[in-house]
Amino acid sequence: MLRHLALTVLLAALPVGAAQAGAPEGPPLDRNGPVAFLGVTFLDTSTEGAYFGARDDEAARLALLRDEVARRFRAEGFTLMDLAPVAAELEATVNPAKCYGCDLRMGRKLGAAYVLEGEVQKVSNLILSMNLVLLEMPEGRMVRGRSVDIRSNTDESWLRGIRYILDNHYFGKE
């Protein structure tokens, strides 16, 4: 009888958990804490990139992605910090997400509550992987992070990928 009651209570709780499945993961974010957004890095590991070099349309998409992330963080009430005090170090860094802690050093120098950084890796013109990571300062603990694979190399597919990350793993739908 007690097992039956426990099972009933458990099953009754399942729809509640399922309804919350779309909620952002991780601890609540302090919207008063300033964010050092170090940008989004493009990594072209495709054969196309090796033969033909950088493409203007992909550089424009990278700027589009940076603008969308910045717009969404501001819309959610975050303040994005001025990176001028670390501009020289950031310019000399190939990829802030993989620089042996330089991202955290820049965040500490700025007095940031969070460091935000992203990557887009082009495997081929059809397959791309997108990552966005939010680190809590000063220790650099990851409080949000997600990677998605997208198919097709268009403005629409890039925006769909980053919006999926932001809507489903950072903030919820706007």
Side-chain angles (χ1 to χ4, degrees), residues 159-173:
L159 285 173
R160 189 173 43 244
I162 201 64
R163 287 176 180 154
Y164 175 85
I165 290 171
L166 293 168
D167 288 347
N168 293 289
H169 303 287
Y170 277 71
F171 305 119
K173 297 245 183 211

Side-chain angles (χ1 to χ4, degrees), residues 1-135:
M1 176 72 172
L2 190 55
R3 282 189 209 155
H4 180 60
L5 179 61
L7 183 58
T8 302
V9 169
L10 178 64
L11 290 175
L14 283 178
V16 172
Q20 294 175 345
E25 56 194 41
L29 300 176
D30 177 9
R31 284 173 165 66
N32 294 320
V35 177
F37 179 32
L38 302 182
V40 182
T41 303
F42 184 67
L43 308 168
D44 189 348
T45 57
S46 70
T47 306
E48 177 188 6
Y51 284 117
F52 302 114
R55 290 177 27 185
D56 291 340
D57 61 334
E58 291 168 342
R61 283 188 194 104
L62 201 57
L64 184 68
L65 222 58
R66 287 182 192 126
D67 291 346
E68 180 65 13
V69 171
R71 182 202 66 79
R72 184 62 185 276
F73 266 77
R74 286 186 183 108
E76 293 291 337
F78 287 90
T79 300
L80 298 183
M81 303 183 79
D82 178 12
L83 301 178
V86 296
E89 186 176 358
L90 188 57
E91 180 68 28
T93 303
V94 174
N95 183 356
K98 293 187 175 79
C99 62
Y100 302 101
C102 75
D103 52 349
L104 301 180
R105 288 188 297 277
M106 285 187 272
R108 287 184 196 111
K109 185 174 184 179
L110 291 168
Y114 299 104
V115 169
L116 178 65
E117 53 203 12
E119 292 177 313
V120 174
Q121 179 185 6
K122 178 180 174 182
V123 178
S124 72
N125 206 43
L126 177 64
I127 303 169
L128 295 100
S129 180
M130 187 176 294
N131 307 301
L132 190 66
V133 175
L134 184 68
L135 305 170

Side-chain angles (χ1 to χ4, degrees), residues 130-150:
M130 187 176 294
N131 307 301
L132 190 66
V133 175
L134 184 68
L135 305 170
E136 186 176 52
M137 297 303 294
E139 60 279 334
R141 181 176 62 96
M142 185 175 74
V143 290
R144 296 282 190 282
R146 183 56 56 180
S147 176
V148 296
D149 290 339
I150 58 175

